[in-house]
Amino acid sequence: MKRTLVWLLVATLLLTALPAAAEEAATSDVYRTLYSGEITTLNYLVTTTTNDFAISANVIDTLVEYDRLGEVQPSLAESWSTSDDGLVWTFNLRDDATWVDHNGEYYANVTAHDFVAAAKYILNAQNASSSASILYDVIAGAEEYYDGTATPAEGEEPAPVMDWETVGVKAVDDYTLQYTLKNPVPYFLSMTTYVAFMPVNETFLNEMGANFGVATGNDTILYCGAYILSEFAPQEKRVLTKNESNWDADNVFIERIEQTYNKEASTISPELYRRGEIDSASIDSTLAADWLADPETADLIRPVRQSGFYSYFYAFNFDPHFDEQYEPENWKIAVNNENFRKSIFHALDKISAALPYEPDYPETILFDTITPPAFVSLHGEDYTDMGALGEVTAAAQFDEAKALEYKELAIAELTEAGATFPVKIYMPYNPSVTGWDEECQVVEQQMEGLLGTDYIDIIIEAGPTTGFLDAVRRNGNFAIHKCNWGPDYADPNTYTDPFYDGTYNKPEMALYYNNEEGYSEYYALVDAARAITDDLQARYEAFAEAEAFLIEHAFVIPFGFGSGGYDANRLNPFESQYAPFGLSGERYKGQKVYEVPMNTDDYFEAMDAWEAERAALAAQEE
């Protein structure tokens, strides 16, 4: 009876709560956008950059996927099972999934061997895959195999070369794939939605060699996803065309996605959107206010949906590689002083910094942890409210009195250490990100106003629009920088990746910590949390203690979500795949382009309906 009532409730909500724009409005087969940051690679086996895997998410399918309500669904795997001890995961693959080339011509069937080939490539250290540790952290034998492929540092003995058969990734037969784990991993299924678990055709991979995935054209990879990259001219145009051979093509409604390069995309896109020439545009806070006040444009925009769980935070760089004019050696002395970091930590007024993105309710996009609220919970308690992290959440981080107190302590200690004042703080930004330049100006004025220009000198500078991560973040070309991190799976461990020394993410974030004495305690706390696999309560509390340590010692300054305010888009955000991790938020599968865009009223009506459906499903599962 309970199950029947729940589904009657869902049906009623679907019939009465969804806005007309979502069900009855005319739709288009084409979705047109502008972009200003070009991808650096199509090789999804090596990249962990959102700008790159946003393409991969649409052209390569994964073992499972999530629907619009966040429920796991079969994809390349039709079914799966787990051994009683939780160590062996077996996936039964569909036999109708195929690889096609850039012209849509059949190349081969997708088989279990393709997942083995991908794992073998990723775990070869010579290929420098950024996702290698995602595999070797959990798969039996993977780390030993990876170490055996690595070139030893000068003076070190090479690790033993291991046979691939020692690695827990097996093709039992053509359509049966098996992963054997080091330890039980309760969130393993959610991991399989990330790029590290995508397949690759080994024959094609070997044919292409070093040219596999090179971002010079669309013929350097094969396709098994919802779309094919049918046209690709770097810094000119990208076109994604529906893959008619895809096993689930009936649920792909947008036939063609046209992405046109323009280095001024964020500036010119609003007017082109208003004229109906493109279907998505960047809307900053000033323009949003203007459009909402004008009856002719008020219905063209709607609030931004926080569907992704990308966490933004200000990171300190402990191994600076910026120009001598910004005094990297002086910065190194300053940043390794905890009182200096705490003076900066408590001086940042995040509400002011968030205004360029959310001028009306900035507090709604802010949080005081690295892991966002509502990412995971247990027995009704949110992870960010657990243990030591709950104390961090409850405490005020912006505190003028504390900032000035730590400033005085830092001045005395840094003077003795040989530092000079003002300490130059080099803070570059990506000009293609709407509002980032304004945010930097606000932070500069606010923090220098509080701490004094005799203490700090914040220097803001525009970085390149293309290759920004390589030129700035990965290159250590900053002193303080607002970084972001998106979860790869449903566990707090995923938010330790940017900060844990020795993982693939350390170069990604350029967080080279010289403060080994303090930071080693963080490593130990993370190791202890990772070792707990049979008690989720204890595991979450242990990760909460590690995250609290990172914040309390001001190794990082939490910020919040990266955007708020309003969005101009002819997609309905509640039709997209939903999961706070993996690739769901980048996929166009299941979405439609509406000729009449959703307005604010439509948005809240659709959000209420979506939340009611989620609540009904949760009640059904109880």
Side-chain angles (χ1 to χ4, degrees), residues 168-213:
V169 184
K170 309 290 184 191
V172 178
D173 56 45
D174 285 351
Y175 296 101
T176 307
L177 173 67
Q178 196 169 84
Y179 291 101
T180 301
L181 310 183
K182 293 179 180 180
N183 300 293
V185 179
Y187 53 88
F188 182 71
L189 189 64
S190 68
M191 295 182 72
T192 66
T193 64
Y194 194 54
V195 286
F197 290 89
M198 284 181 167
V200 68
N201 181 276
E202 188 170 22
T203 300
F204 183 82
L205 180 66
N206 291 337
E207 287 176 354
M208 296 302 298
N211 291 321
F212 176 78

